[in-house]
Amino acid sequence: MKKLILSLLFAAVCMCGQAWASTAEELYQNGQYAQALSAYEQQLKDYPNNPFLYYNIGNCYFKMGSRGLAIANYYRAFELNPRDADIRHNLELALSGSGESLVPPGMPQALHRSFFVLSVTELKGLLWACAWLFCLLAGVWLLTRKAGKLTVVAGVLLLLVAGWFYIRHSWQSEPLAVVASPKAELRSGPGTNFPASATVTQGHLVQVTDQKGTWQQVVLRGEGLKGWMEASALEHI
Amino acid sequence: MKKIFLCVCFLTWATLAMAQVRLTAKTDKTDLALDDELTLTVQVSGISGTMVMPQLPSLPAFNVFSRETAQSITNGHTTLSFRYIMIPRMVGRTTIGPVTFKYGGKVYQTEPINIRIYRSAVPASAQTQRQPAKTAGTQQAAQADASAQMPPLERELAAQAYNHREPYFLVSAVSNKTPYVGQSFTLAVRFYYADGFYEAAYSNPTVSNLFMEDNGRSQGRQTLHGTVYNYEEKRYTLSGAGAGPASVGEASVTYRVESLGNSLFDRFFGGAVVSKPVTVTSQPISLSVRALPPGQPASFYGAVGSGFTMTAQLDKSETEAGDAVTLAVMVKGPGNLKTTSDLVFPSFLGFTSYPSVPQSGVLQNDSTRSYKLFQTVLVPQASGTYTLEGISWSYFDPTAKVYKTLTARPLSLKVLPSANPERKLDFGSQTPLGNGIETLQQDIRYLKTDTDTSLSLLARLPEWKWLHALVFMWLAVCLFMACIGKKTAAKKHAYQHAKTQLKKAKTYEHISDALSGYIRNKWNISTASLPLKDIVTALQKRGVSADSLRTFATLWKELESVRFAPVAPTDTALSAFVTRAAQLLKTWEKHV
């Protein structure tokens, strides 16, 4: 009896989940992107680490013409699930519209795919797995003086994965933002009393290096331009 | 062949020549009084050859009393200008129909012009002051009715003019004294004269907190106090620069008139004496410019007024990838659109956009309205069928006091694959998929309908903290065990190890080492740096029996002496020492 009630409850929860998803999809199909967006954002509160919700939110923003916000959400989805082909495709397409690219210039595509084959969380898991293996083998060696070579191999593997994790983690923790407003002004100082040196269209990736009040110092990675932008014009990834 | 070529050249030239023919018609005003006059100017340009007259439409509301024609020729092309001066015949609204012009077998037409004719009158208030009380009755009602038909600006000018009785005077008025920022309105300055004059110099009024632009001039006639006055009118388009007080300063006219001299000589010879220059000025006008209400839409670029229209079109509906198409957005409306900000085109996915500098100007048929043309060149990157989203443009309607947004209809464009393989822009032609599959355009991929994601095993590993602790505990235990076990094992295997050493012994030194190793492993006593006496004392402390100690001491001394003997050991002697050492170790192992 108890099992039956639990099964029914589980089925009811699943049906509710499917209901909101199909409603959001229907809104998207009918071109009501703003309504579909709010439905997905509502779900994101319950599942903050769901890459597919970020992906769908990115799609809604893209269809609404907000390429900057679409890129920010595709990026979030990509960081959570870098192996998904659809996420990578949409992110690359949205970035290409701004003259940006996911793969840094000069880096082979295969190398980039290999480097991002695992998410940071998965990489952390791999690091733990390597640590376990090393500890087990080291213990065996200490007690029996056997499996010495395997222990050395496990130690080297642990060091390699630790290096990979360190680079990925430092890459991800870099304060990256995307220009979200249709046209943002790059000024020489944190205020409108400083002259605007350039205008940047939405979708460009910038590195945030400093903040003063409502202004943020940014560096345009491709062009090497540095200046100040209003924080409201940027969407942090 | 040569003739055919010449014929083709001639036909091409003729076609081009005809294509450049332009016909325009405009009036100097669209509102006028019944005793005023209207000037219609028709201009034909781009023709060649003989002069052809344009055909005026039927004009039942006007008497045409003057025609003037002017002709100019530039680079073989003739420009004809026809000027018709007309007097209205009736009060009301009328339309000057299209002026037609036939040339080269083709008929050209102008747009119709709407004209409003009102009764010549002065405001009832001004009239009342001057009419005797007993005659005021019916005349006052008629005049009030007439002035009600007049546009506010005309009424204001007429009212000001009625206050003057001098033969020369200047009046000015604006159509709106409380405009919004950016809202256009009209300033009119009229110089009335009942007699002739010459050498009149006109000075424009100065303005503050306003933008001013010339909007043409006209002439007219008005009867005041039984005197017929002619007037020269100059109009300006003004717009508020910023919220707050604004002003229009004095305009002035300095003129000279002829007067006969008083002397008999002058009268006899009819000589004229020129008077001194006289200056008449208009009254300054104070205005208050109102700020625009908050809540401006993103597509608001500063236009204020009502009756704006917007059109958007592409110069072609089909093109090739990499070929340019021009998207033109035309906005028309009241006032001067030149002062508004430029439209920001949205970014069209799949297109490279090159916006050009907008063009603006006054509409030909209506000088109170203007246009602004925004253009951008779009270069499609890939083949496919595209829909360019509708462009929005907002303005503030001062009558309704709300912001209104105009949205152009979405435009469709078919882009064919590039025929030029070197253009390297068409995605489809760049990546032929074979098997009859053609890539048309790129778009984002569809939604993820199954958003329920379960984490991979690797992603879940960091959460198993108890397992991390277990593994590290395992390592710690192993390390501890290794440290402890090393000593225990050595102690345990001391006898075995020493026996093995004795079996393999080839010298006395080997026998000595076997004994030392046993003592070190068994009791942790290093014999290397200790004299025999101390070794024996240490062994005694660890409970070794006195008998065995004596045996050990004897054996140790003998070993010490034979170790450094110059003669090599014989097998028999070595074997005897090995046996004695083994016997000693056996005793120790058994009893200790």
Side-chain angles (χ1 to χ4, degrees), chain A residues 155-172:
Chain A
V156 170
L157 192 65
L158 177 63
L159 283 174
L160 286 173
V161 173
W164 185 10
F165 176 75
Y166 174 76
I167 296 170
R168 275 294 304 276
H169 189 262
S170 55
W171 195 322
Q172 190 163 322

Side-chain angles (χ1 to χ4, degrees), chain A residues 50 55-56 59 86 90 122, chain B residues 443 445-446 448 451 456 467:
Chain A
N50 190 323
Y55 170 87
N56 289 348
N59 272 16
D86 293 339
N90 285 8
E122 286 171 332
Chain B
D443 192 14
R445 289 186 183 163
Y446 191 62
K448 295 279 186 188
T451 54
S456 63
L467 201 56

